[in-house]
Amino acid sequence: MEYLLIFISAIFVNNIILSQFLGICPFLGVSKKIDTALGMGAAVAFVLTLSTMVTYLLQIYVLNPFGLQYLQTLAFILVIAALVQMVEIILKKVSPALYQALGIFLPLITTNCAVLGVAILVIQKDFSLLESVVYAFSTALGFALALVVFAGIREQMELVKIPKGMQGMAIILVTAGLLSLAFMGFSGVDSGLRALVGL
């Protein structure tokens, strides 16, 4: 039941973009079309889950035993960058079609602060390895959900006449704020589920 709570909380209640404000750059930059939003969401889901596993193991079996916790941020950034490069090379060799589909998004993931943020959050929350993987995957799904919903809204906004003073980034930021408020409505779901299972 704890895993279900982590899953629901990471997707809806504590959405990485709309609640914790991590990964705003791709949220605003790659959300013009639903196709690109889906591609970015899939790439982030893969890299986020993989990097969280690797950084968790690095923290538990290397940094903590040798007293090198102060190197956490630097080590995590290097691991994430190396993983993205490795995934890019493997995809290029194994599946050129998938590489073409995700190729544009893979370099963007290296600089996505949501990936580093989740890697640090699982350590701060003192999760186990399985809980970390569930949290990372759920967060990636929440990231993809927010991205796709926002991309759909932006596609619809192109069909609407927007007042001149609100065109461009202004209406995009207002829309993102309203979407964030809509997701805040899920906060009661998390409390209700926790009360139901007695946690």
Side-chain angles (χ1 to χ4, degrees), residues 13 27 65 70 77 118 125 169:
V13 182
F27 180 66
Y70 60 91
I77 289 171
V118 169
K125 291 175 184 274
M169 192 53 72

Side-chain angles (χ1 to χ4, degrees):
M1 196 61 172
E2 182 63 33
Y3 298 114
L4 181 63
L5 288 172
I6 291 171
F7 185 78
I8 291 170
S9 177
I11 293 175
F12 298 109
V13 182
N14 297 316
N15 188 284
I16 196 80
I17 295 175
L18 301 172
S19 179
Q20 299 181 42
F21 307 110
L22 293 172
I24 296 291
C25 296
F27 180 66
L28 296 175
V30 191
S31 60
K32 290 179 183 171
K33 299 281 178 208
I34 291 178
D35 294 343
T36 54
L38 280 169
M40 184 66 170
V44 165
F46 180 71
V47 171
L48 190 62
T49 308
L50 187 64
S51 66
T52 300
M53 269 195 299
V54 174
T55 53
Y56 179 88
L57 295 171
L58 176 72
Q59 179 77 34
I60 299 302
Y61 294 110
V62 177
L63 299 180
N64 287 353
F66 294 105
L68 300 171
Q69 292 91 339
Y70 60 91
L71 291 174
Q72 181 190 60
T73 305
L74 180 64
F76 284 13
I77 289 171
L78 290 172
V79 164
I80 290 165
L83 275 173
V84 170
Q85 288 300 314
M86 193 173 68
V87 166
E88 200 169 349
I89 291 166
I90 291 169
L91 278 179
K92 201 172 189 177
K93 297 272 186 202
V94 174
S95 177
L98 188 60
Y99 173 74
Q100 287 299 323
L102 299 179
I104 344 160
F105 306 115
L106 285 171
L108 286 174
I109 296 169
T110 310
T111 58
N112 188 346
C113 58
V115 178
L116 177 63
V118 169
I120 292 172
L121 279 171
V122 295
I123 303 299
Q124 288 177 350
K125 291 175 184 274
D126 203 25
F127 282 156
S128 67
L129 180 60
L130 186 56
E131 287 173 335
S132 299
V133 170
V134 169
Y135 180 76
F137 184 69
S138 306
T139 301
L141 286 180
F143 180 91
L145 175 69
L147 207 59
V148 169
V149 167
F150 194 57
I153 292 170
R154 284 184 71 176
E155 281 187 2
Q156 290 299 311
M157 282 195 310
E158 289 178 13
L159 308 172
V160 178
K161 189 176 179 185
I162 297 167
K164 191 169 183 176
M166 289 296 290
Q167 288 177 1
M169 192 53 72
I171 192 69
I172 291 169
L173 291 174
V174 168
T175 306
L178 291 172
L179 189 59
S180 180
L181 282 171
F183 267 70
M184 284 180 73
F186 289 112
S187 58
V189 173
D190 186 51
S191 321
L193 279 174
R194 287 185 186 279
L196 189 66
V197 296
L199 291 174

